[in-house]
Amino acid sequence: MADSPGCCRPCATCLLCLYSCQWITAKKEKRKGLRTTKCDCSWFLFLFCVFLFTLVWLYFAIIILNDFHNFNEFIFKQRKLWLDWSLVLLIATAVLITYSAVLLVLALCLQLCSQPLKLHWLHKTLLILTALTVAAAFTGLGIKWAEEWRSARISLQVSHLDTRVSPAVPIIWPVGMS
């Protein structure tokens, strides 16, 4: 590929296959006009938003992990089956965020290889389902355990303080040691 010196043809084909399930690179399809459209860019923006939305849900799930015994007890009363549902919830969240992160990295690599961002319909469907699942999780948390929002807000305030202090630690630490 003369356009993209950092990306070989087999690599571009592999990336394009994983992202859009097409085996033909853009160089072969120039006469057909295979390029990234505004609709494809909007799907990339949606992918990025789903990634951030799932990342925020992972943060909240980790923060409220201390109070998951209430969640486990609630499920036990409903299903009469004891299982550490917090672990199941965290694994499902990790799978969703990993999926969206892999798609995001593939899209960025395709852009570096000057390939079009034609997201496959299966990925589009799974991204919509991911967004709906995370939205349902947030809604369920808000309805059933509204008091957890207070602990999440306090955690955000504390972590905000950490983000302001942590860049200064490499500067302050040697001074404090002398």
Side-chain angles (χ1 to χ4, degrees), residues 159-175:
S159 63
H160 175 68
L161 180 65
D162 289 343
T163 57
R164 288 188 299 175
V165 171
S166 60
V169 169
I171 299 167
I172 297 171
W173 183 58
V175 173

Side-chain angles (χ1 to χ4, degrees), residues 60-164:
F60 280 114
I62 290 172
I63 292 304
I64 62 174
L65 188 62
N66 291 331
D67 293 330
F68 264 125
H69 63 279
N70 294 340
F71 178 69
N72 290 333
E73 184 179 338
F74 174 75
I75 297 292
F76 177 70
K77 287 179 182 175
Q78 299 294 322
R79 303 280 181 207
K80 302 294 184 220
L81 171 70
W82 183 257
L83 182 66
D84 190 8
W85 291 101
S86 59
L87 185 63
V88 173
L89 186 66
L90 285 176
I91 288 173
T93 303
V95 166
L96 293 177
I97 200 164
T98 302
Y99 174 71
S100 58
V102 166
L103 279 180
L104 197 60
V105 168
L106 283 173
L108 294 174
C109 290
L110 279 172
Q111 276 300 104
L112 288 175
C113 291
S114 301
Q115 295 296 317
L117 297 178
K118 300 286 183 188
L119 191 63
H120 193 262
W121 65 267
L122 180 65
H123 293 310
K124 291 176 183 177
T125 305
L126 290 175
L127 279 175
I128 290 170
L129 287 175
T130 299
L132 291 175
T133 302
V134 173
F138 271 120
T139 305
L141 179 69
I143 292 172
K144 205 68 178 150
W145 289 282
E147 68 270 3
E148 298 302 326
W149 288 113
R150 189 176 51 228
S151 63
R153 186 177 57 228
I154 291 170
S155 174
L156 279 174
Q157 291 172 349
V158 170
S159 63
H160 175 68
L161 180 65
D162 289 343
T163 57
R164 288 188 299 175

Side-chain angles (χ1 to χ4, degrees), residues 15-27:
L15 290 172
L16 199 60
C17 175
L18 291 173
Y19 188 78
S20 62
C21 298
Q22 295 178 355
W23 289 96
I24 301 171
T25 59
K27 183 146 180 137

